[in-house]
Amino acid sequence: MLDVRFREKFQDAMAVVISDQERAGLDLLTHGDFHCDEDMAGRAWHHYPLQRWAGFDGDYLQPEETTAPWLHYPPGTLLNEIYTAWRWPHVVDKIEHRALDYPKIWRIAQSKASKPVRFGTCCSQVMGLFLDIHTPKYTDKRQVIWDMAVAMNTELRALRDAGCRLMQIEEPTLHFMANTFGKDAESVKFMVDAFNREVEGLDDVEIWIHTCWGNPNMQRVMEDTSYAQSIELYLEACRGDVWTLEMKDRNQRDLELFEPLKHDLKKKICIGAVSHRSLQADRPEDVAGEIRKALKYIPPERLIVSSDCGFGRQGCNREIAFYKASAIAQGCNIVRSELGLPVTSVPAADPRLQIDVIPGRAGC
């Protein structure tokens, strides 16, 4: 940000992404991950902290034996190209926090917004999947993950002190690991502890726990995408206030798991009502249909509507992302009207504010 041209470009870009979200009609905004580099398939989402904290060095092809068992794909597939192209630093020393400038990024975004900006960040668990150890200071991966959780907690506390009260912790690996090793495995219990350490001391912040099933270049990463093994872990064991689930791209599979909990939900539930993997710009009535299905199992006061995951991982263009976002806002208004609730403003759907207005149709 000391480069004058970059400083101007970054702030301009942040103003645009905030403006687009407000024009789309969203109630809660995001900073758009514009601090991440344009690495292949969104690699910088993991790498932004790894390139800044102490204890890491270089970029290396990862040895096959260190890769998580569910991340192996055959040659000739896009996922194979992505995971064999990504390079990772070696763990070469004790991992320690160095500033990631999350407070600065949030301030830039929030200063340009009239609505609350939720700050999202990659978590220690998912970064740990790809790292291998090259120092006697660590004897196993758990120590690495724990120290990254401590480092991230330091950054999140600084973000809280800056004024941010909405934070999204992205992709704890409990749902992946519970399906592979079982929900009672020691490795899974450790990941719960690591997650809780990462958000320790943030009691005055609304913590969102984002879970999807992978998003490198918008590709489907997993075959077994059931939340059945992890629902108790996310709702009961993990600290937090909102649990986000990939739903639209999975035909709302697992929604029925919430039926016995409908009147005793410990967290708000955020469903994906548009897919980040489809290039179809969803219609508002499509989103309304997804919301009605969810309301059979989740009471309206506990339901939040979003996308399955983000659109910034190379595979989706801005125009489609915008109209998917606006479909969320418009679809919510359809259901709000049906429930007798107040609707919110969606500038993108205002006939008077269209780029090209047909005379006599918009009241101009």
Side-chain angles (χ1 to χ4, degrees), residues 115-166:
K115 298 176 180 179
V117 172
R118 186 177 76 252
F119 196 97
T121 180
C122 181
C123 74
S124 62
Q125 297 177 46
V126 72
M127 289 188 288
L129 290 175
F130 303 93
L131 299 173
D132 54 328
I133 300 167
H134 294 261
T135 173
K137 295 185 178 180
Y138 292 106
T139 57
D140 67 47
K141 188 74 73 69
R142 294 187 189 187
Q143 296 169 327
V144 170
I145 291 171
W146 190 266
D147 280 356
M148 288 196 296
V150 172
M152 186 60 77
N153 180 253
T154 301
E155 189 70 20
L156 296 179
R157 286 176 183 242
L159 179 61
R160 183 271 315 277
D161 292 345
C164 181
R165 290 297 182 270
L166 294 168

Side-chain angles (χ1 to χ4, degrees), residues 195-261:
F195 176 86
N196 288 338
R197 178 64 183 88
E198 196 157 336
V199 298
E200 187 178 278
L202 300 175
D203 300 331
D204 55 345
V205 174
E206 184 173 87
I207 299 295
W208 292 45
I209 308 169
H210 171 77
T211 63
C212 73
W213 294 93
N215 186 4
N217 205 347
M218 311 343 225
Q219 299 304 297
R220 292 185 180 89
V221 174
M222 306 291 292
E223 293 296 328
D224 180 4
T225 64
S226 174
Y227 286 106
Q229 289 293 317
S230 55
I231 182 171
E232 183 179 347
L233 299 173
Y234 283 120
L235 288 180
E236 303 286 345
C238 290
R239 296 175 182 172
D241 305 283
V242 180
W243 179 24
T244 83
L245 297 91
E246 180 179 316
M247 280 291 173
K248 173 64 175 179
D249 203 62
R250 301 169 56 253
N251 296 314
Q252 295 214 15
R253 179 186 175 193
D254 293 330
L255 258 181
E256 65 279 1
L257 297 175
F258 292 97
E259 186 166 26
L261 306 170

Side-chain angles (χ1 to χ4, degrees), residues 61-134:
L61 284 173
Q62 188 185 39
E64 186 170 336
E65 61 271 14
T66 69
T67 309
W70 53 81
L71 296 175
H72 292 277
Y73 304 95
T77 63
L78 179 53
L79 285 173
N80 178 76
E81 180 171 353
I82 290 168
Y83 283 113
T84 55
W86 280 0
R87 266 77 167 167
W88 297 87
H90 286 165
V91 180
V92 297
D93 205 341
K94 176 77 171 174
I95 297 168
E96 295 179 349
H97 172 263
R98 289 177 180 166
L100 303 179
D101 280 333
Y102 284 179
K104 179 185 291 186
I105 297 165
W106 175 80
R107 284 195 301 270
I108 294 171
Q110 188 63 72
S111 70
K112 303 179 188 313
S114 62
K115 298 176 180 179
V117 172
R118 186 177 76 252
F119 196 97
T121 180
C122 181
C123 74
S124 62
Q125 297 177 46
V126 72
M127 289 188 288
L129 290 175
F130 303 93
L131 299 173
D132 54 328
I133 300 167
H134 294 261

